[in-house]
Amino acid sequence: MKKRIVITGAAGFTGNHACQHFADKGYEVIGIARSFLSNLKFHVVTCDLLDKEKVSEVFNMYKPDFCLHLAGVNSVPLSWDNPTTTIEANVLGTLYLLEAIRKAVPLCRTVIVSSALSGIDHPYGVSKKHQEELVMDWAHLFDLQLIVAKPCNLIGPGKSPGFVSFLANRIIQMESSGNHSAISISHLQNEREFLDVRDAISGYEVLLKRGTKRKTYELGSGKMTTLLEVADIFQTLTKERLTFLEKTDSPDKSPHVTNSRLLQELQWQKKYPIEISIQHILSYYRSIG
């Protein structure tokens, strides 16, 4: 009998990859998205996680074996523009999800995806810190099968608002239009830690199967990459000459490098080096023109 998994944020970059991954692995996938989304491989329920009655209805109806919680505000700039909305989506939305699980399927194995930016000094970091605290409190108070995953920046083929996808899209525009204007960027020496979204999802599957409840697991590549290094990789993949216009403000401070040791002890390892991820991202944008 197929195992059933509910995946929130099904319409997002990671959510779409996750739904496809688990469907391909033979799970019965129930995606939750705020807007209508049609797909032949998995069923999608239109539901806003802030609608607690609807969330409860979904879990009462499907009673999943697993849940992967990806939904929420996932942008630092948006969190500055709408801090209240960010807290509501990431904290209250998670609370209503946990309550639906507690009442309908308390044995449901659930991975709540936080962020390596949790606790950093911006509204998004604050929202993720409180989300994690809530998850651990509910896991303890009600003995729920809850696990927290903290990934770094995720990249890979598909539409994403991140810098790497932005740069790939600009290159495609150059290749098609011949417009070689300089690309505005914060600082080329700014550092980020990148992990392929497909590696992250394989890690989430490992946690759903073998992770320890009430535990937090970091997921990452274990190394920082400057934006200049990203640009240099792209430069090897296009004939267009890339030029950049850097801003005059101070370079940002890099968060700590993730430590994936706990997840690696569960036999997880990443498969996609950043060069392959970037190659696949550029191929994706070329394929959609």
Side-chain angles (χ1 to χ4, degrees):
M1 186 176 178
K2 281 187 175 183
K3 293 291 186 179
R4 181 177 291 165
I5 181 170
V6 165
I7 299 176
T8 70
F13 169 62
T14 305
N16 189 262
H17 274 284
C19 288
Q20 296 289 346
H21 171 89
F22 284 97
D24 290 342
K25 286 292 191 75
Y27 291 77
E28 180 185 352
V29 175
I30 310 298
I32 293 180
R34 289 177 61 189
S35 54
F36 176 75
L37 181 69
S38 61
N39 193 291
L40 297 177
K41 283 191 175 181
F42 52 89
H43 180 63
V44 179
V45 177
T46 303
C47 174
D48 187 331
L49 292 187
L50 293 178
D51 182 347
K52 58 183 177 181
E53 285 78 17
K54 178 67 174 178
V55 177
S56 179
E57 178 184 309
V58 170
F59 279 85
N60 276 316
M61 178 180 295
Y62 292 104
K63 297 192 182 299
D65 304 286
F66 302 104
C67 177
L68 177 60
H69 179 40
L70 299 166
V73 173
N74 189 29
S75 167
V76 173
L78 284 179
S79 78
W80 282 114
D81 293 338
N82 298 287
T84 304
T85 300
T86 301
I87 295 292
E88 287 175 343
N90 293 346
V91 181
L92 275 183
T94 299
L95 174 61
Y96 296 154
L97 177 79
L98 298 184
E99 276 294 89
I101 290 170
R102 178 179 74 84
K103 294 175 181 177
V105 276
L107 296 181
C108 177
R109 297 270 298 173
T110 302
V111 168
I112 309 291
V113 178
S114 179
S115 169
L117 297 180
S118 172
I120 301 294
D121 206 12
H122 43 59
Y124 174 69
V126 170
S127 76
K128 285 298 184 179
K129 179 186 72 172
H130 289 305
Q131 179 192 49
E132 290 177 26
E133 291 170 348
L134 173 67
V135 170
M136 289 305 171
D137 285 342
W138 247 241
H140 173 73
L141 291 171
F142 302 109
D143 194 26
L144 299 178
Q145 303 283 319
L146 307 180
I147 298 164
V148 170
K150 295 178 67 170
C152 64
N153 295 281
L154 301 185
I155 61 174
K159 291 185 178 179
S160 164
F163 167 76
V164 181
S165 290
F166 161 77
L167 189 51
N169 200 29
R170 282 298 304 272
I171 290 171
I172 299 309
Q173 292 173 6
M174 288 182 191
E175 292 176 344
S176 61
S177 69
N179 182 351
H180 295 85
S181 58
I183 300 168
S184 180
I185 194 172
S186 51
H187 285 275
L188 286 169
Q189 293 304 321
N190 281 348
E191 293 181 320
R192 300 287 185 270
E193 183 181 1
F194 297 107
L195 179 69
D196 195 287
V197 64
R198 294 163 292 188
D199 283 328
I201 290 164
S202 71
Y204 301 154
E205 184 178 15
V206 168
L207 293 180
L208 286 167
K209 289 180 176 179
R210 301 193 293 277
T212 301
K213 67 179 181 180
R214 304 182 200 168
K215 207 161 190 174
T216 298
Y217 295 82
E218 295 187 351
L219 296 85
S221 62
K223 71 181 286 283
M224 289 292 185
T225 302
T226 66
L227 302 189
L228 176 59
E229 289 171 320
V230 171
D232 286 344
I233 296 170
F234 272 114
Q235 189 63 81
T236 67
L237 300 171
T238 180
K239 295 178 181 178
E240 309 300 323
R241 186 63 192 166
L242 306 181
T243 57
F244 296 91
L245 180 64
E246 294 186 85
K247 296 179 182 177
T248 57
D249 54 351
S250 300
D252 62 14
K253 184 184 294 185
S254 302
H256 75 282
V257 178
T258 60
N259 182 348
S260 304
R261 177 183 57 83
L262 291 177
L263 186 55
Q264 289 165 349
E265 289 175 355
L266 299 177
Q267 308 307 309
W268 172 84
Q269 57 182 352
K270 70 185 189 74
K271 292 171 53 179
Y272 296 92
I274 188 171
E275 294 82 3
I276 298 299
S277 297
I278 288 176
Q279 183 181 332
H280 289 177
I281 293 166
L282 197 56
S283 295
Y284 167 78
Y285 278 99
R286 281 177 175 148
S287 73
I288 64 174

